[in-house]
Amino acid sequence: MPSPPVGFLFSDIARLARQAFNRRASCLGLSLAQWRVLAVLSRREGLSQARLAESLEIQPMTLVRQIDRLEAMGLVARRPNPDDRRAVRLALTPAAAPLLARMRAISDELWDAALAGFSAEARAALADDLVRIKAALWAEASAPEG
């Protein structure tokens, strides 16, 4: 039997990883989508909602609902944008730090389990290959149409 197409494998791996992460993190009361919001903000604090939605590749209205929930949980704060009175910048609250640490640990545990049969060298080679694939797809996505 021939190997499945690489694109299908990537899609299946992403879906299964989301499901496994959500199952492992359900005790924390956050979904993977909410964790992604927190993770991006931890690296790029002060983003506007529009830029964050763009980074996450989700619709702004979907993000607004997530931000509302995270704000109600005391994990995210909306702050005025000094350059635009109509816009806000998003910031993590101090309460988000321990939760982010736990979510990162859950992610690390999940990927350690998924890659348990790989040597350190194989893991490094896989990471290098994935970086190359990502760069090629980024270049493709950035190329002019036509």
Side-chain angles (χ1 to χ4, degrees):
M1 176 182 233
S3 296
V6 172
F8 286 123
L9 289 171
F10 278 126
S11 180
D12 288 346
I13 290 167
R15 178 181 46 80
L16 292 167
R18 280 191 305 273
Q19 289 172 353
F21 184 89
N22 281 332
R23 188 182 72 257
R24 287 172 178 243
S26 65
C27 62
L28 300 176
L30 288 177
S31 69
L32 178 60
Q34 291 167 323
W35 184 89
R36 288 183 67 221
V37 169
L38 296 176
V40 170
L41 284 177
S42 74
R43 291 188 308 271
R44 299 178 60 202
E45 193 151 336
L47 282 178
S48 69
Q49 288 181 182
R51 289 277 186 238
L52 180 57
E54 189 177 286
S55 293
L56 294 168
E57 295 183 344
I58 61 174
Q59 294 297 315
M61 282 308 300
T62 301
L63 177 63
V64 167
R65 288 190 295 272
Q66 290 178 9
I67 296 298
D68 288 345
R69 285 187 204 108
L70 292 169
E71 189 175 38
M73 295 168 77
L75 302 173
V76 172
R78 289 176 168 106
R79 304 236 165 86
N81 182 339
D83 301 325
D84 183 351
R85 291 187 329 197
R86 299 166 295 161
V88 295
R89 295 196 179 266
L90 300 169
L92 296 177
T93 67
L99 189 57
L100 273 166
R102 182 64 189 123
M103 298 295 266
R104 284 189 182 109
I106 289 170
S107 179
D108 290 346
E109 292 164 8
L110 172 64
W111 288 107
D112 282 345
L115 298 172
F118 290 72
S119 67
E121 295 80 18
R123 286 181 185 209
L126 175 61
D128 289 344
D129 290 342
L130 291 172
V131 167
R132 286 188 6 236
I133 292 168
K134 180 179 175 181
L137 290 172
W138 183 260
E140 179 67 28
S142 302
E145 291 184 31

